Amino acid sequence: MANQKPIREIKLGKVRAAIWRNELENGRAMHSVTFSRLYKEEGAWRDGTSFGRSELPLIARTAEMALDWIYSQPSGENPEPAEE
């Protein structure tokens, strides 16, 4: 799983949302999303997980875009969460 790649990436500026597909035991799939900030250090691109005030609107927008993409997938791919 260490070599697993996201099935979709959404980038706005230096903010990235990575969408991951996770197989469930019942054969269905569930998606999860991770967020990162790209920055350059000593000439190499790196990922960070902390965000400044100016990046928060980009986090909100990439989250909305990720949700739209997940819900656009074929039926049965996105099980509804269990009610509490």
Side-chain angles (χ1 to χ4, degrees), residues 47-62:
D47 286 323
T49 56
S50 61
F51 303 92
R53 177 180 58 189
S54 64
E55 295 159 331
L56 293 178
L58 297 176
I59 290 288
R61 182 65 182 124
T62 56

Side-chain angles (χ1 to χ4, degrees), residues 3 5 7 11 26 30 36 42 57 59-60 64 67 71:
N3 294 328
K5 294 183 179 184
I7 60 171
K11 295 178 185 175
N26 63 7
M30 183 177 83
S36 59
E42 297 178 6
I59 290 288
E64 182 180 2
L67 181 63
Y71 275 106

Side-chain angles (χ1 to χ4, degrees), residues 6-69:
I7 60 171
R8 177 86 170 170
E9 287 187 348
I10 300 167
K11 295 178 185 175
L12 291 176
K14 293 183 180 179
V15 171
R16 176 177 57 192
I19 303 172
W20 305 86
R21 179 185 169 99
N22 303 297
E23 298 294 329
L24 300 176
E25 289 180 14
N26 63 7
R28 294 178 72 179
M30 183 177 83
H31 294 91
S32 60
V33 182
T34 57
F35 298 93
S36 59
R37 178 179 54 85
L38 301 171
Y39 65 95
K40 209 168 202 178
E41 182 178 80
E42 297 178 6
W45 285 100
R46 306 205 187 275
D47 286 323
T49 56
S50 61
F51 303 92
R53 177 180 58 189
S54 64
E55 295 159 331
L56 293 178
L58 297 176
I59 290 288
R61 182 65 182 124
T62 56
E64 182 180 2
M65 293 169 73
L67 181 63
D68 289 344
W69 186 86

